[in-house]
Amino acid sequence: TQSDTHTSTEPQHHRTPRTKEKMSKPFEKIQLMYWPGRGLMEVPRMMLAASKTEFEDGRYGADELKKIEADLACNLGRMPAIKIDGEHTIGQSSAINYYIASSLGYMGSSILEAAQIISILEHLRELKQALYKVAEYGTKPDPEKLKAFFTAGATDVSGIAERKTRSERGMVFYLGRLESLVGKDGFAVGGKLSLADFLIYNSFAEKLTEKDNGLSKDAQYRAEPFHSLKLMEAALEKAPKVKAITKTVASNPAIVEYLSKRGKQSF
């Protein structure tokens, strides 16, 4: 089992939705339970790192799951899962994202902003589901089909969505529509860092470098966003507000430090 504890001596800053009073600390200890890779736990890790919150980064192989069997009941015996203060457990990535974002002030400043953040989460989920129609999860994509996913398909990026082309929606449709939803200031919602920003970075800019690439030779396509950094960067040129959000997250000093130290990732 790989289990790293990330610490900081710098003070934490928590945002309260409706008052100027500081939030009480939501937890004393948080343990993450996931496979030895990025996947569904990377956004929670990045939020914790950005807020300089100490966390136990538990990473488990298939032969080690018995050690945490009882804790995985919250996710029907699966990962990801988190354990709070050695007592409470939460499963399912959306619930984990919501709990950590809410605890650390990354869920907006109002119920309205929280709903807008969740909306972006759902849009990104739909985009990834669209990718799986072209490249089934865990399989190497066909280059021509992947290029078509990025550049062809439904092109109605404004107004009422065309129902006739809904089965053809790919990167052009989703990224084009998302561009009109996010803020102009380098943040998706509310003019400050939120779960939406981390999700956008994770979707469109998260990649492995030579330093942290632990992928097998036949899985190198998984090192790049949507399986192609070249195609992704070209798409982002047409979505400058979304691109600015990825830059906001990537340039955050705590994130820069986290990425420099996260080590080899198996996926």
Side-chain angles (χ1 to χ4, degrees):
T1 304
Q2 299 176 22
S3 184
D4 301 319
T5 299
H6 298 252
T7 61
S8 173
T9 57
E10 297 184 31
Q12 297 179 32
H13 299 279
H14 301 293
R15 302 180 183 87
T16 306
R18 293 177 182 168
T19 74
K20 293 183 179 180
E21 298 176 5
K22 290 183 178 180
M23 290 176 62
S24 58
K25 190 174 182 181
F27 51 79
E28 294 296 325
K29 178 182 178 182
I30 185 165
Q31 176 188 356
L32 313 184
M33 291 168 277
Y34 196 56
W35 305 103
R38 298 167 299 162
L40 298 176
M41 196 59 87
E42 197 62 8
V43 166
R45 291 181 188 126
M46 292 186 75
M47 288 191 289
L48 289 162
S51 64
K52 300 185 182 298
T53 300
E54 180 179 343
F55 66 98
E56 183 178 335
D57 190 12
R59 298 172 183 244
Y60 302 86
D63 59 344
E64 300 172 300
L65 297 183
K66 278 290 183 181
K67 300 175 183 178
I68 55 171
E69 181 177 2
D71 293 331
L72 299 185
C74 63
N75 198 12
L76 311 184
R78 306 165 298 177
M79 296 191 286
I82 62 173
K83 192 169 188 178
I84 300 102
D85 295 333
E87 182 178 2
H88 307 289
T89 54
I90 300 173
Q92 291 286 2
S93 59
S94 292
I96 291 169
N97 283 336
Y98 173 79
Y99 176 80
I100 292 177
S102 297
S103 298
L104 302 178
Y106 294 139
M107 209 62 204
S109 298
S110 66
I111 295 174
L112 173 61
E113 288 185 0
Q116 291 171 333
I117 290 167
I118 293 171
S119 177
I120 289 173
L121 181 155
E122 288 298 310
H123 297 323
L124 294 173
R125 181 186 62 79
E126 288 184 9
L127 172 57
K128 290 180 181 179
Q129 290 299 318
L131 173 68
Y132 297 151
K133 294 179 182 179
V134 175
E136 186 177 346
Y137 181 79
T139 62
K140 188 174 182 179
D142 176 88
E144 291 303 315
K145 290 182 179 180
L146 186 62
K147 183 177 180 180
F149 171 79
F150 271 93
T151 61
T155 59
D156 52 316
V157 297
S158 63
I160 302 298
E162 292 285 349
R163 297 187 65 189
K164 292 181 180 179
T165 57
R166 60 185 175 181
S167 64
E168 302 171 20
R169 292 170 186 166
M171 187 63 70
V172 173
F173 175 86
Y174 284 103
L175 187 56
R177 295 268 179 173
L178 184 62
E179 176 72 3
S180 67
L181 292 181
V182 299
K184 301 177 182 179
D185 53 2
F187 299 100
V189 176
K192 63 183 180 182
L193 203 57
S194 74
L195 169 61
D197 301 311
F198 292 104
L199 290 167
I200 286 171
Y201 171 86
N202 183 261
S203 297
F204 301 123
E206 167 62 35
K207 62 183 181 297
L208 294 178
T209 65
E210 184 177 348
K211 185 177 181 179
D212 56 12
N213 189 336
L215 299 173
S216 60
K217 289 183 178 180
D218 59 351
Q220 287 302 309
Y221 66 92
R222 300 180 68 181
E224 301 181 354
F226 286 93
H227 306 332
S228 174
L229 181 60
K230 181 180 180 180
L231 291 172
M232 189 69 256
E233 289 181 339
L236 284 175
E237 288 302 314
K238 299 178 181 179
K241 291 191 291 183
V242 173
K243 182 178 179 179
I245 292 168
T246 68
K247 297 295 184 182
T248 295
V249 176
S251 63
N252 181 288
I255 293 300
V256 172
E257 180 181 5
Y258 166 73
L259 293 176
S260 71
K261 296 180 178 179
R262 71 177 173 181
K264 296 290 185 182
Q265 305 294 307
S266 62
F267 61 91

